[in-house]
Amino acid sequence: MTKAKTALVIGGGHNGLICATYLAQAGCQVQLVERRDTVGGGAALHHFGEGYSVPALAQMHHPLHPKIAKELKLDAPAPAPASAIIALSREGQHLYLGENGATGTGLSAEDQVAYIAFKQEFGAYAKALGALYLNTAPRLKDFDLADGTVLAKLGWQLRFGLGRDAMREFLRVGGMNVYDILNEKFASPALKGALAAQAVLGNHVGPRTPTTALNYLYARFQELQGPASHGTQIADHLRDAASDAGVSITTGVAVEQIMVSDGVATGASLSDGRVIEADIVVSNADAKATFLNLVGPAQLDAMLTHRISKTRTNGDVSKVNLALDSAPDFAGLNADDLRHRMMIAPDMRYVERAFNASKYGEISQAPVLDIACPSAVNGALAPAGHHVLSINVSFTPYRLKQGWDEGRAVVLQKVLDILEDYSPGIGAKVVASEVLSPVDIEAQYGITGGHWHHGEMSIDQGFMMRPVHGTAQYQTPIEGLFLCGAAAHPGGGITGLPGRNAARRILAKAAR
Amino acid sequence: MTMEKPAMHNFAQVLEPSPFHDRIVAHTLTQNWAEWNGYQTVRVADTVASEYFAVRSSCSVMDLTPMEKYRITGPDALDFLNRLVTRDISKLKPGRVMYAVWCNDKGKVIDDGTIFHLAPGDYRLCAQHHQLDWLLLSSIGFDVTIAKETADIAALSVQGPTAYSVLAAAGAKGLEGLKPFGIIETEMAGIKLTISRTGFTGDLGYELWTDPDNALAMWDAIFAIKHKGLLDVRLIGLDALEMVRIEAGFIMPGWDFNTAENVVRADHDRSPFELGLDWIVKFDKPYFTGKKALLEERARPARRRLVKLSLEGNRVPSGSFLFDRKDGTNVGSVVAHMWSPILKTALAYGDVELTKGALPDQLWAEIYYQKELKWRLAWAKCTVHSAPFWQHERRSKTPPLTS
Ligand SMILES: Cc1cc2nc3c(=O)[nH]c(=O)nc-3n(C[C@H](O)[C@H](O)[C@H](O)COP(=O)(O)OP(=O)(O)OC[C@H]3O[C@@H](n4cnc5c(N)ncnc54)[C@H](O)[C@@H]3O)c2cc1C
């Protein structure tokens, strides 16, 4: 590739914005095209009802990796205050699961000690895996120097960062399910339920699914970046950074086709009829959308097309937004507690049973609820005195037997019924509500299957096989076309790493 | 995409009889059968020599029904086929047939076959091996219907110098104007059928396609010419076909090379370039599976090549290694061999490693042979051929020569 001068970034999710900013700061002329009216993707702000706003999808997230702020010379946002996961209890005996310890009525001293040790142990594993998350996943074939360096770093981290005994333990637990791991460590059902829910949320797995230890480690890696906050500001922050770097942003226009000539991406045609030519095309859309819709199978090898079409991308999480005319009232929680991440997952069997339903195309009888109250921190999100709740509801499968036309009302009713148990009277406070099923998320955010991570996070779809082998390393079989979104390594959530790693890959290639 | 429910395996009759079975049984003196795509197929009906000479000097008939046949229709049929194979199918006009190969993503050949453009947008693909899975897999994103029609069509291959005369005498209409690789819808003795001027013998020949209900009547119309004592017509089996197809320069996927997607060991599959099929790889057409890999392969010196060889002497190089000189370095091996009665020489296909893209100056076959159970070794110098070993002008003349 000759030195690239112009780049087109398809999609202005946080990863697209970050990738565009890296490229622009490196001297590329970058255009970013976003099909929605605002940038941010899952991290954008979403308005509903009259005068209510919530984070579009990522209701709470940990800070971007500090390297991103440093490398892009962004003003780091003010650090958020320490945050916790609250394991909600019907009886008001809530547990507070923080970075440095767990408290709550009825939590035994043993569990409290074990919790600290567990967070440290899994923190160390997640840190060791950071060598992998922060870099292009190495190829196993046609290995180059950079690939070797990443593996060496990973090996070094695992062996010497962890030490021999910890490394042995890591190799033991890495392939395990969180159900067994948490049962080894703890007695409290509520504690285990909340941690298990945190591990499995967003993927089509239950606590007893093998390798869910890795899903927990991915969540743990995000926690290591700092306390979680509500996803209401990051989109503006990253948009401004991109604009400052010279990225030209167009919203309300979709890319319809990536143009390919003789195996080389040359640009894209847009829904407004325009054609943008570029030396480099970077897609923030998921792999199926990028390859099957925007590039098209006619430009791709058959087996690769098949592999992409077979990736598991059906989402299980619906988003329910509620507008309340007054503050929600959970017995035993004070007003300040509402800024934490509140989880309804009373024990691991509850989570496993909730998952079972989704295997058969049904909405869980008793779904896991992951609840945020962003208005507790940011009064601008609701009229004075009013509040918003943003709730991730799992499991609610994309392919729903009864169909989503009926399913939406079922999900809303289940959420209200469960909430009523934990916060009696809350139903009467609801003045507006909204259900985004995985099917709606697909339609509104362009994410195939409405999947949290743009595709299941599992060993066979992870690392050097993310999204599929042959397209890993952000590169694609189409020369000049790259992936920069959650479908690429290391995956979804608000981390900025796919965007950053992709930009570094692109720039490294251009420099050659 | 449509898929039929596969028929249940019949344990009482493991091999399917073809629609011509009753007649074939009567003509198969040896009862020497083979399996081909699940059908009971003749290996040798009488003697290989008489069958071989039927192809080369009179008229042979072979049951083609077991050949895998797929019907491809729908708005994207052309785009689908063009993405499937290495040749440019947009150049295939209705009423014409094209030979083609298709590759996997690595540019290694999965199978070869013929594509019949039956009517605008309506294609039939005939393949040596079962291909439905690969076709369906390749159809993701294309608006096409792919239907396996192997059992829905009865087919005979009628080949040899007198093939035209036999069919004309049997009442086939309109054959005189049919050019090589042409297709016509026509009639013969009151039967509706499709005739294509295609085959694997390097000589004049036709393939006849009809509804299985017409199979026996079609057979009888052809063999009536023999029974009336007008011209000889003989049933042939797979062994005679194997001889004439080597003479005519056709390769057999699965025999002459490992088909991709079935190979276990790295580098044991073959690209079209490695098979000497450069002439059917077209890069100036829309993307096809394997194109990127083949472009990369072409940019490097070729590593091996399947070559046509004739050998000195009268011994056939069965399973022979090939060397760059007598007692020299091993550079490959023989994958198919025969004694050609018509050319009076031993013929072979050799899979040969190249050095910097070039064949060795000489090729020698190391031939082990027995004399009254005692093994001996002989060396035979090989000559490399680029053209088919044998091809008669009858193959291409229209109207057909009738001698
Ligand atoms: C229900 C749900 C809840 C979630 N909750 C959380 C959470 O609490 N915390 C967390 O960290 N993560 C959460 N996530 C995950 C997180 O939202 C995603 O992983 C993250 O948004 C991925 O970021 P991205 O930049 O790669 O892609 P996206 O945020 O999906 O952005 C992609 C952008 O590309 C645009 N686009 C797509 N196609 C085109 C096109 N053809 N032309 C132009 N533009 C196009 C889209 O409109 C979109 O703006 C949740 C996800 C879901 C589905």
Side-chain angles (χ1 to χ4, degrees):
Chain A
M1 196 165 67
T2 52
K3 209 166 167 68
K5 299 203 169 53
T6 56
L8 167 65
V9 177
I10 302 170
H14 80 291
N15 280 314
L17 289 168
I18 287 172
C19 186
T21 308
Y22 271 92
L23 296 180
Q25 287 193 0
C28 287
Q29 222 182 317
V30 186
Q31 299 207 52
L32 183 148
V33 176
E34 165 57 49
R35 91 195 236 288
R36 295 170 50 81
D37 289 336
T38 52
V39 292
L45 201 60
H46 167 68
H47 309 290
F48 75 109
E50 273 173 43
Y52 300 95
S53 308
V54 283
L57 300 173
Q59 59 192 28
M60 292 197 84
H61 65 83
H62 297 272
L64 298 175
H65 197 278
K67 280 203 168 169
I68 294 174
K70 204 170 138 212
E71 284 162 359
L72 291 179
K73 295 174 213 71
L74 305 180
D75 319 326
S83 75
I85 292 177
I86 301 181
L88 288 179
S89 135
R90 269 196 196 81
E91 292 74 34
Q93 302 196 324
H94 313 296
L95 302 184
Y96 293 72
L97 313 178
E99 180 58 27
N100 301 315
T103 56
T105 333
L107 192 64
S108 70
E110 288 87 350
D111 271 353
Q112 293 190 27
V113 172
Y115 180 84
I116 294 171
F118 169 75
K119 286 296 241 196
Q120 280 171 355
E121 181 188 345
F122 278 70
Y125 300 152
K127 209 166 154 193
L129 280 180
L132 210 47
Y133 294 143
L134 275 166
N135 287 284
T136 302
R139 285 168 294 198
L140 298 179
K141 228 184 115 189
D142 306 328
F143 206 80
D144 67 12
L145 190 63
D147 294 327
T149 314
V150 174
L151 273 192
K153 268 192 215 160
L154 177 67
W156 181 271
Q157 283 288 344
L158 287 176
R159 177 63 186 81
F160 299 105
L162 288 176
R164 195 187 61 202
D165 292 348
M167 174 165 125
R168 190 190 302 126
E169 183 61 7
F170 171 72
L171 293 178
R172 185 181 76 90
V173 300
M176 280 174 71
N177 64 53
V178 287
Y179 185 89
D180 289 344
I181 292 175
L182 295 175
N183 271 339
E184 275 181 13
K185 310 270 183 198
F186 305 111
S188 159
L191 172 64
K192 290 186 279 189
L195 289 176
Q198 186 195 4
V200 301
L201 207 70
N203 283 302
H204 186 71
V205 292
R208 282 174 162 157
T209 307
T211 72
T212 33
L214 290 179
N215 297 112
Y216 180 73
L217 282 177
Y218 188 63
R220 187 78 189 99
F221 174 78
Q222 292 172 55
E223 282 179 345
L224 292 183
Q225 313 317 323
S229 59
H230 296 93
T232 52
Q233 272 151 24
I234 184 164
D236 287 353
H237 185 58
L238 291 176
R239 183 201 54 215
D240 293 347
S243 299
D244 289 350
V247 177
S248 126
I249 297 175
T250 309
T251 56
V253 176
V255 166
E256 288 191 333
Q257 204 182 0
I258 295 173
M259 298 180 312
V260 179
S261 162
D262 281 335
V264 181
T266 59
S269 62
L270 312 185
S271 57
D272 64 3
R274 274 189 306 145
V275 165
I276 294 186
E277 291 187 354
D279 301 327
I280 289 174
V281 179
V282 193
S283 176
N284 187 190
D286 66 87
K288 280 185 183 169
T290 302
F291 291 111
L292 304 182
N293 303 341
L294 299 180
V295 172
Q299 300 289 349
L300 299 167
D301 288 329
M303 189 56 94
L304 178 79
T305 307
H306 170 74
R307 282 207 307 271
I308 290 167
S309 78
K310 291 293 174 205
T311 53
R312 283 163 288 126
T313 52
N314 289 347
D316 269 315
V317 185
S318 291
K319 176 93 150 36
V320 170
N321 299 321
L322 300 177
L324 309 179
D325 62 11
S326 55
D329 190 13
F330 292 89
L333 288 193
N334 60 41
D336 181 56
D337 288 337
L338 292 176
R339 68 183 175 82
H340 295 298
R341 180 176 181 185
M342 295 167 283
M343 200 75 96
I344 296 183
D347 59 66
M348 289 203 286
R349 278 164 178 270
Y350 178 101
V351 181
E352 187 71 27
R353 286 208 190 91
F355 167 58
N356 283 347
S358 73
K359 289 192 277 191
Y360 306 104
E362 291 159 13
I363 296 166
S364 312
Q365 281 303 323
V368 170
L369 303 190
D370 173 20
I371 306 164
C373 182
S375 53
V377 178
N378 183 344
L381 301 178
H386 289 215
H387 276 277
V388 285
L389 288 184
S390 169
I391 307 171
N392 287 327
V393 187
S394 206
F395 292 79
T396 67
Y398 174 78
R399 285 212 189 289
L400 185 65
K401 257 195 262 167
Q402 67 184 135
W404 272 110
D405 284 345
E406 267 178 44
R408 284 186 201 94
V410 175
V411 168
L412 181 61
Q413 196 53 52
K414 272 198 203 304
V415 169
L416 291 175
D417 288 349
I418 294 172
L419 282 179
E420 202 64 34
D421 267 356
Y422 286 78
S423 174
I426 194 168
K429 299 182 177 180
V430 175
V431 290
S433 66
E434 188 184 41
V435 178
L436 291 176
S437 71
V439 166
D440 302 315
I441 292 168
E442 176 179 74
Q444 293 179 28
Y445 295 89
I447 303 172
T448 308
H451 197 288
W452 184 300
H453 295 282
H454 288 196
E456 195 72 2
M457 293 278 279
S458 53
I459 285 226
D460 63 317
Q461 297 186 180
F463 306 114
M464 48 293 267
M465 290 189 294
R466 187 160 185 87
V468 298
H469 72 88
T471 64
Q473 299 211 323
Y474 313 100
Q475 256 162 272
T476 73
I478 307 286
E479 188 73 37
L481 173 65
F482 298 84
L483 293 179
C484 76
H489 171 77
I494 307 303
T495 68
L497 289 178
R500 166 194 178 262
N501 293 354
R504 287 163 57 94
R505 182 83 193 174
I506 293 164
L507 294 170
K509 229 191 146 198
R512 254 186 239 157
Chain B
M1 289 187 333
T2 55
M3 264 177 89
E4 278 170 46
K5 197 170 168 226
M8 291 287 287
H9 186 71
N10 180 349
F11 289 94
Q13 184 159 43
V14 175
L15 293 184
E16 278 288 308
S18 102
F20 302 104
H21 189 69
D22 291 352
R23 299 293 185 274
I24 292 174
V25 167
H27 280 81
T28 303
L29 307 179
T30 60
Q31 298 296 313
N32 185 350
W33 302 97
E35 187 269 355
W36 178 16
N37 285 337
Y39 280 90
Q40 186 176 344
T41 308
V42 185
R43 188 190 298 283
V44 180
D46 183 356
T47 63
V48 184
S50 64
E51 291 164 36
Y52 168 85
F53 280 108
V55 182
R56 287 291 172 239
S57 54
S58 61
C59 177
S60 66
V61 169
M62 191 178 136
D63 182 7
L64 260 194
T65 309
M67 168 87 76
E68 294 284 8
K69 300 180 275 294
Y70 303 95
R71 195 62 166 264
I72 294 158
T73 52
D76 290 346
L78 170 61
D79 290 345
F80 163 77
L81 284 167
N82 236 358
R83 148 66 148 37
L84 179 75
V85 304
T86 63
R87 282 185 93 170
D88 189 352
I89 301 302
S90 70
K91 302 243 157 72
L92 179 63
K93 302 213 167 62
R96 302 287 302 163
V97 183
M98 207 181 239
Y99 172 73
V101 294
W102 45 100
C103 298
N104 67 6
D105 294 16
K106 288 179 355 202
K108 302 297 183 179
V109 177
I110 290 179
D111 203 356
D112 71 352
T114 43
I115 299 174
F116 289 65
H117 197 171
L118 300 172
D122 181 2
Y123 297 88
R124 175 180 297 149
L125 176 84
C126 295
Q128 182 68 26
H129 300 286
H130 180 87
Q131 294 297 324
L132 189 61
D133 48 350
W134 184 255
L135 298 179
L136 291 176
L137 187 150
S138 298
S139 73
I140 296 166
F142 292 89
D143 187 358
V144 285
T145 303
I146 297 166
K148 175 166 161 157
E149 54 177 15
T150 306
D152 304 336
I153 292 161
L156 288 179
S157 179
V158 180
Q159 306 281 328
T162 59
Y164 168 78
S165 306
V166 167
L167 292 176
K173 297 205 173 66
L175 280 194
E176 56 288 344
L178 187 60
K179 298 204 172 107
F181 296 105
I183 311 169
I184 49 166
E185 299 284 324
T186 182
E187 266 183 36
M188 182 174 79
I191 307 159
K192 274 196 172 344
L193 77 174
T194 303
I195 300 182
S196 55
R197 190 165 161 189
T198 42
F200 298 92
T201 62
D203 204 319
L204 179 62
Y206 301 89
E207 290 170 340
L208 280 55
W209 318 80
T210 193
D211 188 288
D213 291 344
N214 297 331
L216 297 181
M218 183 165 97
W219 177 287
D220 292 343
I222 296 167
F223 278 87
I225 307 309
K226 177 189 180 93
H227 300 317
K228 284 184 203 154
L230 296 174
L231 290 160
D232 193 26
V233 180
R234 271 171 196 262
L235 171 65
I236 69 161
L238 294 173
D239 283 7
L241 177 71
E242 171 69 3
M243 294 175 72
V244 293
R245 71 94 188 168
I246 293 176
E247 286 178 343
F250 289 99
I251 54 173
M252 196 80 111
W255 278 268
D256 300 347
F257 66 97
N258 295 305
T259 53
E261 303 294 310
N262 289 327
V263 207
V264 177
R265 295 170 186 82
D267 274 355
H268 282 232
D269 43 14
R270 293 292 179 263
S271 75
F273 298 138
E274 292 167 338
L275 297 174
L277 295 173
D278 314 45
W279 64 282
I280 51 171
V281 180
K282 300 289 174 204
F283 289 124
D284 55 346
K285 62 165 257 192
Y287 194 79
F288 58 87
T289 298
K291 182 176 182 181
K292 187 178 159 87
L294 288 171
L295 278 168
E296 282 165 15
E297 183 181 325
R298 197 186 55 170
R300 299 185 301 261
R303 289 162 61 200
R304 61 174 70 84
R305 201 162 184 93
L306 188 73
V307 289
K308 300 185 198 68
L309 303 172
S310 63
L311 291 84
E312 276 178 0
N314 59 5
R315 295 191 180 86
V316 290
S318 160
S320 290
F321 283 120
L322 295 168
F323 293 80
D324 60 354
R325 29 179 217 289
K326 218 169 175 171
D327 284 320
T329 307
N330 174 235
V331 292
S333 54
V334 163
V335 293
H337 66 272
M338 73 175 296
W339 174 259
S340 168
I342 202 155
L343 296 170
K344 312 250 177 314
T345 181
L347 303 178
Y349 286 162
D351 186 39
V352 181
E353 281 167 31
L354 309 183
T355 309
K356 294 190 182 136
L359 282 169
D361 297 338
Q362 298 183 19
L363 274 176
W364 288 79
E366 181 197 47
I367 305 179
Y368 285 84
Y369 66 101
Q370 276 183 324
K371 246 184 189 164
E372 300 196 308
L373 292 182
K374 203 148 173 83
W375 282 103
R376 289 156 191 240
L377 169 64
W379 288 92
K381 193 168 186 203
C382 307
T383 306
V384 176
H385 297 249
S386 52
F389 300 112
W390 196 83
Q391 216 169 41
H392 198 278
E393 59 166 348
R394 268 187 305 264
R395 188 183 139 271
S396 46
K397 283 268 181 324
T398 310
L401 302 179
T402 50
S403 65

